[in-house]
Amino acid sequence: MGELPEIHKGLDGVYVSESTICKVDGTAGRLYYRGYPIDDIAKNSNYEEAAYLLLNGKLPNGAELEDFSSKLKAERELPDKIINIITESAGKSDPMDILRTAVSYLSIYDNDTKTQTKEANLKKAIKLIAKTSSIVATIGAAMEGRSYTKPDSSLGHSENFIYMLKGKKPTPDEVKPVEMMFILQAEHSTNASTFATLVAGSTLADLYSAVTAGISALKGPLHGGADEEALRMMEAIGDPSNTEAYINDALAGKKKIMGFGHRVYKAYDPRAKIIKGYLLTLQQNPSAEVKRLTEIALRGEKLMIDKLGQTHGIWPNVDFFAGPVYVSAGIKVDLFTPLFAASRMAGWCAHMIEYWEDNKLIRPLELYKGEIDKKYVPINDR
Ligand code: CMC
């Protein structure tokens, strides 16, 4: 028998493509969108500009940003059928299932799905980014018994998201954290959901099919679903004084603490640092709920870093501090992962469009461990 091939479980450490979209420096804990450090983008930019940068490879000038923003605005409306799907299923199904179905359904309204030019795909990307945000807002509104709010073209992307979610114009305190999360979650190289997008798209299926695969992969708690689980853990801890006992018990029971650890970062996730920094700015005048959650988060962070940070390279990731920040903006826990998807739509589309420039079907191998040449036994003889 020949030498056995090396298996990279979970594709750990395997490079599958070249890209100029995003660099994750897991050792130094740095992240770059098209070469720009994430701290600069988060501080100076907005989601529209970040999405433009990811899709087009350069920062837009004033006219280009204006044009891109108005194209997004023009695509915000949802077809009635999709609004009906959302209102009929909200409260009965997982919001990520509704989102996956609604985004998949969007393709029905695009008679250009099969055109695979870069230009046509950039147009689809704008549609998907604009409409996914509207879908998530409408899911959130429907879960709280509110009907569809028509988008407002005088508002920016994040502001309009909150407006459609809550049915009223947002305050700056609501917009700031949502805008920040939209920017920070827009892209993160070949993570599980982006890879799922590429796998589907590498067959030359269309962009809608590809990003629907991305949404499916994002749902799980090891990936995008971790932000919800982290907040649910904070809720289960209840009083901040229970934090250490709760986490120690969970670790003793070999449970993972959601919002910690990363396949690539073996240092503090720079996005988590930015989110934590924002959370600390809220502490001058926090609501009782945000104060309590922040105290739990800070105690949990300290314990985990003391126990597993330096020794095991397990640090807070983007999902850990996201919950208290969303709570400060009045976003309900069920909507965290859908909102992650609405933001990541920019990254998924950017990657898919880049990959198609030099497409290669993704088709890895598996090492077959079963028997061969077994004798077929007719059903009546088994
Ligand atoms: N809490 C406790 N132990 C952990 C954690 C954690 N959050 N993460 C990893 N470990 C331990 C794990 O139990 C394992 O220990 P041992 O070697 O003793 O069996 C070791 O660290 C390696 O973990 P792994 O799961 O095999 O490593 P991975 O590279 O496959 O894991 C991960 C990456 C993100 C799946 C994992 O860290 C995890 O499950 N974290 C919790 C879920 C989470 O927060 N996910 C969001 C990731 S960031 C957002 C995104 O981009 O998706």
Side-chain angles (χ1 to χ4, degrees):
M1 210 164 90
E3 209 176 298
L4 287 178
E6 193 182 342
I7 293 181
H8 299 273
K9 258 194 117 178
L11 296 183
D12 196 349
V14 176
Y15 286 83
V16 294
S17 58
E18 291 178 346
S19 176
T20 61
I21 298 171
C22 176
K23 177 169 173 63
V24 180
D25 181 342
T27 313
R30 310 275 324 260
L31 168 65
Y32 305 85
Y33 287 178
R34 297 281 190 184
Y36 295 94
I38 191 64
D39 307 69
D40 282 353
I41 300 289
K43 194 163 146 212
N44 301 310
S45 202
N46 60 18
Y47 181 69
E48 290 89 321
E49 189 175 71
Y52 182 98
L53 172 67
L54 293 169
L55 287 169
N56 297 288
K58 68 174 194 89
L59 284 171
N61 62 29
E64 286 164 339
L65 183 58
E66 180 64 39
D67 178 60
F68 184 72
S69 302
S70 52
K71 283 179 176 152
L72 281 171
K73 284 176 181 172
E75 289 292 352
R76 284 177 180 164
E77 275 277 12
L78 295 179
D80 288 346
K81 191 84 187 261
I82 289 189
I83 298 170
N84 290 342
I85 289 174
I86 295 171
T87 37
E88 275 163 22
S89 24
K92 297 182 207 139
S93 308
D94 187 306
M96 282 298 281
D97 297 344
I98 306 174
L99 174 66
R100 191 189 59 237
T101 306
V103 169
S104 176
Y105 208 90
L106 283 177
S107 67
I108 309 288
Y109 299 92
D110 190 336
N111 45 27
D112 204 23
T113 51
K114 289 201 164 57
T115 312
Q116 280 291 27
T117 60
K118 184 171 179 182
E119 198 193 6
N121 283 322
L122 282 170
K123 255 173 129 178
K124 282 174 230 164
I126 287 175
K127 236 180 238 234
L128 279 160
I129 292 168
K131 292 201 194 303
T132 305
S133 181
S134 300
I135 288 171
V136 174
T138 306
I139 293 172
M143 284 169 68
E144 290 176 32
R146 279 190 298 280
S147 51
Y148 178 66
T149 297
K150 276 185 174 297
D152 180 337
S153 62
S154 71
L155 301 176
H157 189 82
S158 306
E159 279 178 299
N160 180 67
F161 167 79
I162 305 171
Y163 173 63
M164 291 181 75
L165 172 64
K166 300 190 179 182
K168 55 181 196 278
K169 296 266 168 72
T171 64
D173 287 348
E174 290 171 316
V175 177
K176 192 147 195 274
V178 173
E179 181 82 58
M180 175 182 72
M181 293 306 296
F182 256 110
I183 294 172
L184 293 179
Q185 293 185 321
E187 163 55 21
H188 210 235
S189 79
T190 319
N191 51 78
S193 58
T194 303
F195 185 59
T197 302
L198 295 182
V199 171
S202 80
T203 67
L204 298 184
D206 61 276
L207 194 57
Y208 292 91
S209 307
V211 300
T212 302
I215 295 174
S216 305
L218 188 77
K219 182 182 176 188
L222 295 187
H223 189 14
D227 51 6
E228 295 187 10
E229 294 300 323
L231 188 84
R232 289 190 209 284
M233 178 187 77
M234 293 175 200
E235 297 294 5
I237 287 172
D239 190 276
S241 63
N242 295 331
T243 308
E244 289 78 7
Y246 186 100
I247 292 181
N248 280 326
D249 270 6
L251 290 175
K254 294 269 170 223
K255 287 203 184 119
K256 282 182 170 173
I257 308 302
M258 295 294 135
F260 286 88
H262 201 276
R263 176 63 65 77
V264 185
Y265 291 120
K266 300 304 167 200
Y268 211 115
D269 181 335
R271 302 166 299 174
K273 269 191 196 162
I274 297 170
I275 301 168
K276 179 185 168 188
Y278 176 77
L279 193 56
L280 295 179
T281 66
L282 292 180
Q283 300 312 304
Q284 278 143 12
N285 190 18
S287 68
E289 177 68 342
V290 171
K291 187 165 183 283
R292 181 180 71 81
L293 292 171
T294 305
E295 202 182 323
I296 293 171
L298 293 175
R299 288 173 80 145
E301 177 209 27
K302 180 169 183 335
L303 177 73
M304 286 294 285
I305 291 178
D306 287 349
K307 284 197 125 166
L308 298 171
Q310 298 292 358
T311 48
H312 294 73
I314 295 173
W315 299 87
N317 62 48
V318 68
D319 292 316
F320 188 60
F321 292 106
V325 165
Y326 279 138
V327 170
S328 80
I331 308 280
K332 300 267 163 54
V333 63
D334 295 322
L335 222 57
F336 293 180
T337 315
L339 191 39
F340 192 159
S343 158
R344 185 57 58 87
M345 189 54 77
W348 291 331
C349 291
H351 273 280
M352 198 64 258
I353 291 168
E354 180 190 60
Y355 192 83
W356 275 329
E357 281 174 17
D358 186 21
N359 191 69
K360 172 97 177 158
L361 175 75
I362 297 174
R363 202 303 185 191
L365 295 170
E366 63 184 3
L367 182 62
Y368 177 68
K369 303 281 273 189
E371 299 169 56
I372 56 167
D373 287 339
K374 290 168 83 177
K375 189 167 165 31
Y376 182 83
V377 182
I379 192 156
N380 291 334
D381 299 342
R382 286 176 214 160

